Amino acid sequence: KESKKRKRTEEAEKVSEDQSSSVIQEPPIKAKKTRKKELSKAEKKLAKRESALERADEEEEKKLFQNKAKQKKAASRADTKSVANSDAGATVKQQKKKKVVDETVNRRTVFVGNLPVNCTVQALKSRFKEYGQIKSIRFRSLVPAEDTLSKKLAAIKHKVHPNAKFINAYVVFKEECDAIKALNENGTEIATGFHIRVDIASKNSSHDNKRSVFLGNLSYDINDDAVREHFSVCGGVVAVRIVRDRKTGLGKGFGYVLFENTDAVHLALKLNDSVLMGRKIRVKRCGEKWKTPQKSPDQPRAPKDRVDTTLKKERCSNDSFVGEKAVPLKKSTKPKRLKAIPKKKSGKNK
């Protein structure tokens, strides 16, 4: 029995020893595992390189995204610019079309000047309807009787200023050839003392300066027929044009006369300084500048250094503004009194 107990105890001790040995041998195994987990220097370098490459990739992606956004913005701006340019081009085309349309209308339009104030649309239509179909007639250069009235209302209500003597009109035909035919009415007497002036309203209508003369120093109340009568001695007068103010209808003091031939121009130049309605008028060729009359060379010139007092007095006219002069004070005739010297007081050193 005792031998059996000893065997059991020995076996138990062996088992405990085996267990203890197994427990003691475990830590070095764990240490080996921890050593395997620790990275070497080469591995650390590789990890750093990989992280740097990842960062570079991220930065490149960001740059690409930003560039795409910029390209989208530029494309949107280009689209807006193209739309604006297309709109501008459309507006330019529309303006060109309007200009072309206006020019074609002007070619079909006839300007009729020097009409009497009491002229009506019906009278003017009956005058020009024989040349072709008329689309519209409108009066211009009206001076309203009141400042509150517009020219359009004054034309409709026939409320014209009593001093106004003439009006102008535009007659629009359906075809251009009809407007050219209507030019035959130029210079005809539509009423007593009113020879009308008919011309194409187009800007391209050429004016012959070789057959025209310029008139200056005209009276403001002058009418076309007075100028026509004055220059009818020189030759056939085609048209008379006096430049007038749009608001008042009064002349601005100058005008033009168109003759049938250039020979009439030479005769008209001889009427320079002739009297018309109480004024000496100036007559010259169109395009020439007016030159002031120069002094005769026989008169000796005074030297520049010498100053003549008489010329200065003549320059200062009596009409020039003179300020109020100060009135000088009157000097007293009494003699001035001498100031009395105060005497020395008594009791002081002599």
Side-chain angles (χ1 to χ4, degrees), residues 69-81:
K70 287 180 180 179
Q71 287 176 1
K72 285 181 181 179
K73 286 181 181 179
S76 62
R77 287 177 185 173
D79 292 334
T80 53
K81 284 182 181 179

Side-chain angles (χ1 to χ4, degrees), residues 17 48 141 156 181 248 255 280 337 347:
E17 285 176 0
K48 285 181 181 179
S141 305
I156 294 166
K181 290 176 186 177
T248 60
K280 284 187 177 183
R337 291 181 181 180

Side-chain angles (χ1 to χ4, degrees), residues 15-246:
V15 170
S16 63
E17 285 176 0
D18 294 334
Q19 288 177 355
S20 64
S21 64
S22 63
V23 170
I24 291 163
Q25 288 175 358
E26 282 177 359
I29 294 164
K30 287 181 181 178
K32 286 179 182 178
K33 287 181 180 178
T34 53
R35 282 178 186 173
K36 286 181 181 178
K37 286 182 180 178
E38 287 180 359
L39 298 173
S40 62
K41 291 181 180 179
E43 289 176 348
K44 286 180 181 179
K45 286 181 181 180
L46 288 170
K48 285 181 181 179
R49 286 179 184 175
E50 287 177 357
S51 63
L53 290 170
E54 287 178 357
R55 288 176 187 173
D57 293 336
E58 288 176 358
E59 288 178 357
E60 285 181 359
E61 287 178 358
K62 285 181 181 179
K63 286 181 180 179
L64 289 170
F65 183 74
Q66 289 176 358
N67 290 330
K68 285 180 181 179
K70 287 180 180 179
Q71 287 176 1
K72 285 181 181 179
K73 286 181 181 179
S76 62
R77 287 177 185 173
D79 292 334
T80 53
K81 284 182 181 179
S82 63
V83 170
N85 291 329
S86 63
D87 294 337
T91 54
V92 169
K93 286 180 181 178
Q94 288 175 0
Q95 288 176 359
K96 286 181 179 179
K97 284 181 181 178
K98 284 181 181 179
K99 285 180 181 178
V100 171
V101 170
D102 292 338
E103 189 61 31
T104 54
V105 172
N106 289 334
R107 288 175 185 173
R108 294 185 286 107
T109 305
V110 170
F111 171 81
V112 185
N114 198 30
L115 289 168
V117 177
N118 56 2
C119 183
T120 59
V121 176
Q122 293 178 355
L124 202 61
K125 196 170 186 178
S126 62
R127 188 83 183 182
F128 286 93
K129 68 180 181 180
E130 60 180 347
Y131 297 105
Q133 187 177 352
I134 296 170
K135 294 191 74 175
S136 64
I137 294 173
R138 58 184 186 273
F139 289 102
R140 290 291 181 269
S141 305
L142 285 166
V143 182
E146 299 174 0
D147 295 335
T148 56
L149 287 173
S150 64
K151 291 184 178 181
K152 193 173 183 180
L153 279 172
I156 294 166
K157 295 180 179 180
H158 296 284
K159 290 185 178 181
V160 188
H161 199 274
N163 293 332
K165 298 176 182 178
F166 70 97
I167 54 174
N168 300 325
Y170 287 95
V171 181
V172 183
F173 288 92
K174 190 177 180 180
E175 295 181 1
E176 187 178 345
C177 59
D178 298 336
I180 294 167
K181 290 176 186 177
L183 297 177
N184 294 327
E185 292 290 327
N186 184 33
T188 57
E189 191 174 5
I190 196 169
T192 54
F194 287 94
H195 291 79
I196 60 174
R197 178 167 64 92
V198 184
D199 193 9
I200 299 293
S202 178
K203 293 180 181 179
N204 295 330
S205 59
S206 59
H207 181 77
D208 193 359
N209 289 331
K210 293 180 180 180
R211 295 187 290 118
S212 304
V213 291
F214 171 82
L215 307 179
N217 198 29
L218 295 172
S219 176
Y220 298 125
D221 298 330
I222 198 167
N223 54 9
D224 294 1
D225 282 359
V227 177
R228 185 183 288 273
E229 289 177 4
H230 189 73
F231 286 92
S232 61
V233 183
C234 304
V237 177
V238 177
V240 176
R241 184 195 169 200
I242 296 170
V243 181
R244 301 181 183 274
D245 188 15
R246 292 182 179 179

